[in-house]
Amino acid sequence: MAVSANRLELIQIADAVAREKAIDKQIVIQAMADAIQKAARSRYGLETNIRADINPTTGDIKLQRLMEVVEAVEEFDTQISLEDARARNPEAQVGDSIAEQLPPMDFGRIAAQSAKQVIVQKVREAERDRQYDEFKDRIGEIVNGTVKRVEYGNVIVDLGRGEAIIRRDELIPRELFKYGDRVRAYVYDVRREPRGPQIFLSRTHPQFMAKLFAMEVPEIYDGIIEIKSVARDPGSRAKIAVISRDSSIDPVGACVGMRGSRVQAVVGELQGEKIDIIPWSPDAASFIVNALQPAEVAKVVLDEDAERIEVVVPDEQLSLAIGRRGQNVRLASQLTGWDIDILTEEEESSRRQKEFVERSELFMEALNVDEMVGQVLASEGFTSVEEVAYVDLDEIASIDGFDEETADEIQRRAREYLERIENELDEKRRALGVEDELREIPGMTTAIMVAVGEDGVKTVEDFAGYAVDDLIGWRERKDGETTVHDGVLTRFNTTQAEAEEMVMAARLKVGWVTEEDLAGAGATEEAAGEEQAEA
């Protein structure tokens, strides 16, 4: 059978649109069928159920009206009686649909315009879906494009099969683009939005630099050298930590390249951004010392619970360690994930001397001893009266100049002092109206009861309303700066695990949660931990 020119043209148009928009031809043909259905419905009545089929090979259009088989007809446009249906199809049952062939129809101007709108809308939706599906899996990649236009500082980039945007804050400072410029950027987010998929690019993202190094350094691409972390001050300076899985390959030298060729290629792409390549180390202290280069470090003191480190540098190295406007220490902190405090040797010596004097005075006052005994206890490493009171007696007796009788007397005085302080705190707790029932919470002390009482908490139910951050405090990191917010129990050095246990015990006591809830939560956390370990 010969295919008419009009029908051939229909298939050719579908082919052309599918190729131009990079979508499936069947989607275009289905959009045309939907448009024909809408036009036919406007002619035969909007309530009529019409189906249009287009043969993808010949272009034949088949129009059918679907009638529902019912016992008693109520809607003559959409329903047919069982008796009439069986006259056409003896096997028809109630609930089936009977198709009635409709004659070909000519489109009027309005119907054609309406059909065109349907096709355009369907094709546009298919194009958006294709674009989203294509780019959602490319998050984390570097793409190349051409600047299409610049709007209010935001750069719109043509990627060939889609448009992307580099917002002002994702551009390197003092970087200018104009129409037609080639641009390379990192895909950090792809979102579905009513106006179509939005592809967000960045040239300031730390991973942009990491991906550039992977492109320039074959050892990184092959996995022999791994980039552990990156910190950037876009357009100014950056630090990158690398480690080699092959002991015969120097990770820093491989990234620098012959006469700096590899690192210079990355620097050129980043508008002259200075890059410090740091050897990564599993030992936090060594890694932080490396991260603070080019400054020399004399000593480090780690506080692993608070993820905080004190770095002592020679006096003449202080400005180099901090860097211009704090840049060096800020980048080192971002790179390592530790909060870094920098002290000079003189400042550290003064602070240690001050702490020694304060501890000595504490022991002199609490234990009613002379200055020499207080200084001896402080120099032996005792930091609190509690340590003195409950440490093994032999530890005090073994101090030069002390015997067992002296040690016993010191411990007796320490315990009497703690008992007196406990009584004073208990009186204060009662005056604040804090209930005795709070003592039943694990880890609760009289001093903590006074602290929460001063915060307005009187009952177990009040305590159950605490969030863990309310108790231990929290940190906010913004623009490379960390702000510390103290909690009610910060001064007691309560850990997160201890705070969580106290809060959950209070909630269990007042009936907000059950033992089953806690067991389920524990199982979920354990499973999550196993998954993370496997990953």
Side-chain angles (χ1 to χ4, degrees), residues 87-122:
R88 301 183 188 184
N89 180 3
E91 296 180 1
Q93 299 290 334
V94 174
D96 291 348
S97 293
I98 294 290
E100 178 185 347
Q101 196 74 21
L102 294 175
M105 59 172 286
D106 293 327
F107 288 97
R109 184 178 61 81
I110 295 175
Q113 187 66 27
S114 176
K116 177 186 173 184
Q117 289 174 353
V118 171
I119 294 171
V120 168
Q121 180 65 24
K122 294 282 185 182

Side-chain angles (χ1 to χ4, degrees), residues 11 14 24-34 54-57:
I11 299 302
D24 187 4
K25 172 185 168 184
Q26 191 56 44
I27 293 174
V28 181
I29 291 176
Q30 186 57 50
M32 290 176 169
D34 291 343
I54 300 176
N55 187 311
T57 306

Side-chain angles (χ1 to χ4, degrees), residues 139-194:
I139 293 176
E141 292 184 11
I142 287 181
V143 293
N144 293 296
T146 307
V147 175
K148 198 171 184 180
R149 61 185 181 276
V150 179
E151 297 176 347
Y152 306 107
N154 302 320
V155 178
I156 312 302
V157 180
D158 182 3
L159 300 178
R161 291 169 68 103
E163 259 188 21
I165 182 172
I166 310 178
R167 295 186 303 195
R168 257 184 321 193
D169 55 344
E170 298 293 341
L171 288 167
I172 296 172
R174 299 177 300 281
E175 189 173 43
L176 295 174
F177 288 104
K178 60 183 183 299
Y179 174 78
D181 285 351
R182 296 289 295 171
V183 62
R184 182 187 287 180
Y186 176 81
V187 182
Y188 74 92
D189 196 12
V190 179
R191 301 178 201 158
R192 256 192 214 279
E193 294 191 2

